[in-house]
Amino acid sequence: MTGRRQYQDVAQAIRGLIADARLGEGDRLPPERGLSERLNVSRSLVREALILLEIEGAVEVRKGSGVYVSVAAPETAAPVRDDIGPFELLQARQLVEAEIAGFAARNVTKSDILHLREALERERADLARGDADYSGDREFHRLVAQATQNSVLVDMVEELWRKREQSPMWAKLHNRIFETTYRRSWLDDHEAVLAGLQARNEGAARAAMWRHLGNVRDTLMTLSDVDDPSFDGYLFEPVTRTG
């Protein structure tokens, strides 16, 4: 164990590969797929590592083109902070909040259902206005936890959301995304969670929340992809220079 987060180790490995290949400013890195295969890690870990390197200024991300070395990347560099990777955070939320939704179906009250419906209406209004505010989304998830009648579970969900909102890596991930239509599908997911809760069906509520947060992860992976699909560079050969 290194005592660091996995994406930090992957970022360190990418720095080493850049140094070994003697890549300089303006050189394009291979696609995430190649890095994932080379380092034997998931693409989500590679995505998080590249976000870290982007925050540090070691690489530049160009949507639809790929990731380029922006400065000579040292083999060792201190991380900007001990941030949680966005996909790691989503995985934790999926595991925790799916079980919370199932448990909430046992204990949900009529008042809980009414408050959840109000939260969904706020989300619909935000979407209609094109508002980028996620407070309605956060409130819905908090209310699901509140329906368990367990304050510890409410605190857990609120802490996960705080980590999301305070995360530079999460903010950088969203900077790569230029459309918001995906939020309509997330609202549909919330409606499915509410239907399971209203029916007091533990399995349906749990499955709907699991599916929802899986959809969030998959959507963010797809929309934040910056690779050029026509560029099939493998590892660090050949090196592509610009200018």
Side-chain angles (χ1 to χ4, degrees):
M1 296 292 291
T2 64
R4 303 196 305 174
R5 300 195 186 280
Q6 279 187 290
Y7 73 82
Q8 293 173 347
D9 291 332
V10 175
Q12 182 75 356
I14 293 173
R15 291 188 196 100
L17 291 173
I18 291 172
D20 290 344
R22 295 184 174 86
L23 297 186
E25 186 171 357
D27 290 336
R28 179 162 55 175
L29 274 66
E32 285 180 358
R33 173 182 55 79
L35 291 171
S36 174
E37 292 172 358
R38 173 69 174 83
L39 299 173
N40 195 29
V41 296
S42 68
R43 282 194 66 179
S44 61
L45 268 176
V46 171
R47 181 78 52 87
E48 290 174 341
L50 291 173
I51 290 172
L52 173 63
L53 293 174
E54 183 184 6
I55 291 173
E56 292 179 344
V59 300
E60 177 189 357
V61 170
R62 303 177 193 173
K63 185 73 173 178
S65 178
V67 180
Y68 294 77
V69 177
S70 59
V71 295
E75 290 191 34
T76 59
V80 291
R81 54 168 285 179
D82 187 27
D83 201 358
I84 296 177
F87 298 105
E88 182 181 21
L89 181 59
L90 279 170
Q91 183 181 57
R93 286 187 59 199
Q94 188 177 35
L95 290 166
V96 171
E97 293 193 49
E99 290 304 315
I100 285 175
F103 187 53
R106 297 186 193 179
N107 301 310
V108 68
T109 66
K110 181 178 179 180
S111 176
D112 293 325
I113 294 297
L114 292 174
H115 286 129
L116 283 161
R117 286 178 179 171
E118 290 172 1
L120 282 178
E121 287 305 315
R122 286 199 296 275
E123 287 189 77
R124 289 191 188 95
D126 289 344
L127 279 173
R129 291 193 304 268
D131 196 337
D133 185 10
Y134 282 82
S135 60
D137 185 11
R138 175 176 181 163
E139 179 66 1
F140 180 85
H141 285 267
R142 188 191 69 80
L143 287 169
V144 172
Q146 187 170 295
T148 65
Q149 319 306 326
N150 185 307
S151 63
V152 176
L153 296 178
V154 176
D155 288 345
M156 288 174 64
V157 169
E158 289 185 335
E159 178 61 19
L160 288 168
W161 272 87
R162 276 194 294 271
K163 289 183 181 299
R164 172 195 186 279
E165 292 175 346
Q166 296 170 2
S167 167
M169 291 185 64
W170 189 277
K172 183 64 71 174
L173 175 73
H174 274 268
N175 286 345
R176 296 184 178 187
I177 298 172
F178 299 99
E179 63 170 274
T180 59
T181 55
Y182 62 88
R183 292 181 64 189
R184 173 68 248 184
S185 67
W186 294 358
L187 179 57
D188 292 341
D189 288 347
H190 284 180
E191 290 172 343
V193 173
L194 178 56
L197 293 174
Q198 188 164 340
R200 302 183 70 88
N201 186 322
E202 294 179 38
R206 181 184 298 109
M209 184 64 82
W210 180 273
R211 185 167 55 251
H212 166 52
L213 290 168
N215 287 342
V216 172
R217 178 190 180 281
D218 293 345
T219 299
L220 293 181
M221 275 293 291
T222 299
L223 294 180
S224 64
D225 190 358
V226 299
D227 283 338
D228 176 0
S230 66
F231 178 57
D232 194 30
Y234 185 71
L235 304 184
F236 289 88
E237 296 178 356
V239 170
T240 301
R241 293 188 176 275
T242 61

